[in-house]
Amino acid sequence: MALKLLALGGDGIGPEVVEASLQVLEVASKSVGLGIDLSEDLLHGACFEKFGRFIRAETLDKARHSDALLVGATGGPRWDHIVVDGGPEEQDGLMKLRHELQVFACLRHARAHEALLARTAFKPEVIRGADVMVMRELCGGAMFTQTRGIDETADRGRRGYDLNEYTEAEIERFARVGFEVARRRRGRLLSVDKSNVFVAGKLWREVVGRVGRSEFADVDLTHFYTDNAAYQLCCRPADFDVILADNLFGDLLSDQSGAIAGSLGMLPSACLAELPVGGRTEKPAIYEPVHGSAPDIAGLGIANPIGTILSVAMLLDYSAGEVVCARKIDAAVDAALNEGFATRDLGGTHSTKQMTDAVIRQFRAL
Ligand code: IPM
Ligand code: MG
């Protein structure tokens, strides 16, 4: 059966990198005899321009009936000030999709690429071998709370607030996926919180600890305060395996981990509603690069497609169960980098197309 894929380029460089990665997907899927039933649609700003809303009901419906979604990037100064009716998820087409599909487990992968070591901000001996999976809770916390607003107080002027709330059940389901991911990697899970200050952080630490002790005694669990984790990630990135973070901390730490890879443009993500137990996930999952829409370089054909190409690899892994093919894409990316291909963000001069062609050529040669 063909894999039902919904591609949503979104804004800025989004459509360019999605188009590039679909070329890689076509070659890769053919090589393993996997059919792709592709449809495309508009998301966020691009959708707003045409339909006056950030996502259409029919797009959401299509998403619910897809196996996987591939998203480019969303947002831009043109739409940032627009406020539409409804909660936080209505203000952003991508947030709405995450919420609707309940893809609470976001895996953001950063690794040091040998060819790019000297291009990172780190000394090669500090960065070599680093391979970090930042797991970001994607459907809760301050980013999705309904308890938010700007209002007038009686005596302190205006106040703005977004409640950072997590239920025990939300922490539990996310922690379980985190432990499973750690189990499939090097067996180490670092959970981050600010339980020295926030009461919500105390519950986070308690619940993650309990899940670890009762269900995953084989995984080596450590707790850090998030500020310390951010610092250590700079000092000794190669010591990290899986980081388990809430929505906000995960947003910050995943961007920070982009420095390990040499550019935020290198980072892929998989946003899952469940972790497949062998084989592939049944529920629709979203795959997207971690970078933003970079409106300043949109349409110039110079965006780095690797974050999206590696997202396609994650798609083949988690939504199609094609693990070998997925790792072949990872290897093809490294081979293209080793050959000297580099887009502007990596300090090179190659175009999106040249980089994509190089990856495809390397894939075919493997
Ligand atoms: C990300 C982005 C998004 C987020 C924005 C575009 C809403 O920063 O995917 O990391 O904060 O989740
Ligand atoms: Mg972000």
Side-chain angles (χ1 to χ4, degrees):
M1 260 233 315
L3 182 113
K4 278 202 217 92
L5 174 65
L6 175 59
L8 302 158
D11 308 318
I13 59 171
E16 303 163 44
V17 292
V18 163
E19 196 201 304
S21 69
L22 286 176
Q23 289 171 19
V24 177
L25 179 61
E26 198 187 324
V27 174
S29 57
K30 278 207 178 114
S31 77
V32 289
L34 172 72
I36 304 284
D37 175 2
L38 173 70
S39 56
E40 301 189 50
D41 210 336
L42 301 173
L43 184 66
H44 198 69
C47 184
F48 192 87
E49 293 303 312
K50 203 159 171 206
F51 299 106
R53 65 189 65 165
F54 289 128
I55 188 165
R56 292 183 299 155
E58 57 194 275
T59 312
L60 283 171
D61 199 52
K62 221 189 282 172
R64 279 186 217 104
H65 295 99
S66 298
D67 295 310
L69 284 76
L70 184 64
V71 173
T74 58
R78 260 173 93 168
W79 310 287
D80 283 351
H81 63 282
I82 297 168
V83 180
V84 299
D85 281 348
E89 69 278 5
E90 306 298 337
Q91 312 306 320
D92 186 295
L94 182 53
M95 300 267 288
K96 178 75 179 174
L97 267 180
R98 290 171 178 171
H99 191 257
E100 280 295 309
L101 300 178
Q102 279 298 298
V103 286
F104 63 88
C106 178
L107 284 68
R108 297 186 158 187
H109 191 198
R111 58 194 174 90
H113 302 268
E114 198 60 31
L116 301 177
L117 293 187
R119 297 191 202 254
T120 69
F122 299 89
K123 288 186 204 139
E125 64 268 28
V126 170
I127 194 81
R128 181 166 281 123
D131 184 323
V132 184
M133 186 70 86
V134 177
M135 293 215 36
R136 171 186 179 191
E137 200 290 329
L138 205 58
C139 290
M143 293 211 169
F144 280 102
T145 183
Q146 301 294 329
T147 312
R148 59 171 58 204
I150 301 175
D151 56 24
E152 198 72 46
T153 65
D155 51 353
R156 292 178 294 136
R158 290 198 301 161
R159 66 163 179 171
Y161 55 96
D162 304 82
L163 182 69
N164 188 25
E165 53 176 333
Y166 271 102
T167 64
E168 188 160 12
E170 282 176 315
I171 302 168
E172 236 174 55
R173 70 172 181 175
F174 178 56
R176 282 204 181 96
V177 177
F179 280 108
E180 283 291 352
V181 170
R183 211 175 237 176
R184 293 178 194 189
R185 285 172 48 95
R186 302 192 300 278
R188 297 208 321 271
L189 184 72
L190 175 73
S191 173
V192 302
D193 60 57
K194 281 288 288 178
S195 58
N196 50 338
V197 182
F198 296 127
V199 177
K202 293 190 202 307
L203 183 67
W204 179 278
R205 188 173 287 218
E206 179 197 313
V207 173
V208 174
R210 195 191 59 227
V211 171
R213 276 190 308 278
S214 57
E215 299 170 39
F216 300 91
D218 54 313
V219 175
D220 173 14
L221 170 68
T222 317
H223 303 274
F224 273 10
Y225 297 136
T226 314
D227 48 352
N228 182 35
Y231 173 65
Q232 301 293 340
L233 189 57
C234 281
C235 298
R236 45 184 187 95
D239 289 351
F240 286 73
D241 184 6
V242 182
I243 301 177
L244 192 79
D246 74 9
N247 206 337
L248 178 59
F249 293 147
D251 188 28
L252 307 181
L253 291 174
S254 59
D255 263 38
Q256 190 190 328
S257 66
I260 294 170
S263 162
L264 192 51
M266 299 289 293
L267 264 49
S269 79
C271 312
L272 310 175
E274 65 182 358
L275 190 70
V277 185
R280 61 190 204 84
T281 170
E282 295 294 319
K283 297 183 179 166
I286 306 178
Y287 300 88
E288 42 168 311
V290 175
H291 64 70
S293 61
D296 53 323
I297 59 161
L300 301 181
I302 58 170
N304 185 349
I306 293 181
T308 322
I309 291 173
L310 293 176
S311 299
V312 158
M314 291 183 103
L315 185 160
L316 285 167
D317 185 343
Y318 294 111
S319 284
E322 295 288 352
V323 190
V324 175
C325 185
R327 297 295 81 82
K328 228 172 111 175
I329 294 179
D330 294 348
V333 164
D334 277 338
L337 294 169
N338 289 340
E339 252 192 299
F341 281 89
T343 43
R344 297 258 182 113
D345 56 316
L346 301 172
T349 55
H350 293 102
S351 66
T352 309
K353 181 173 184 334
Q354 285 172 316
M355 181 60 105
T356 308
D357 290 348
V359 172
I360 291 174
R361 183 166 40 75
Q362 289 290 355
F363 182 90
R364 289 202 161 111
L366 283 169

